[in-house]
Amino acid sequence: MNQEKIDRINELARKAKAGGLTEAELAERDALRREYIDAVKASLRSQLDNTYIVDAQGNKRPLKKREKTTN
């Protein structure tokens, strides 16, 4: 996600607070927000995939995905 798209998201947010958005602007805002969220998730996933835990003996091991629990 580049800075121009983030600036456009902010511009649409200011316009929404000030008066309202057209249907086209609402669709654009939703698409840009989804793209931003996906980019943040991908960045976080990449960072977590490259994170290791070091135990007391100095052994490195990668993080493991948690299993989902049902209550």
Side-chain angles (χ1 to χ4, degrees), residues 7-69:
D7 292 341
R8 181 64 178 155
I9 291 170
N10 292 329
E11 180 183 328
L12 290 170
R14 283 190 296 276
K15 187 174 180 183
K17 285 182 182 179
L21 300 174
T22 64
E23 289 297 321
E25 289 171 330
L26 285 171
E28 179 186 7
R29 181 189 69 180
D30 292 343
L32 287 170
R33 283 181 172 178
R34 175 52 39 202
E35 186 177 343
Y36 179 79
I37 290 168
D38 292 343
V40 169
K41 283 182 176 180
S43 175
L44 179 61
R45 173 62 52 208
S46 175
Q47 187 172 3
L48 290 174
D49 286 344
N50 292 305
T51 300
Y52 292 87
I53 302 294
V54 179
D55 62 18
Q57 290 79 29
N59 300 319
K60 281 177 41 175
R61 60 183 173 86
L63 289 177
K64 294 181 182 176
K65 283 188 178 182
R66 253 185 166 171
E67 292 185 24
K68 292 183 181 179
T69 57

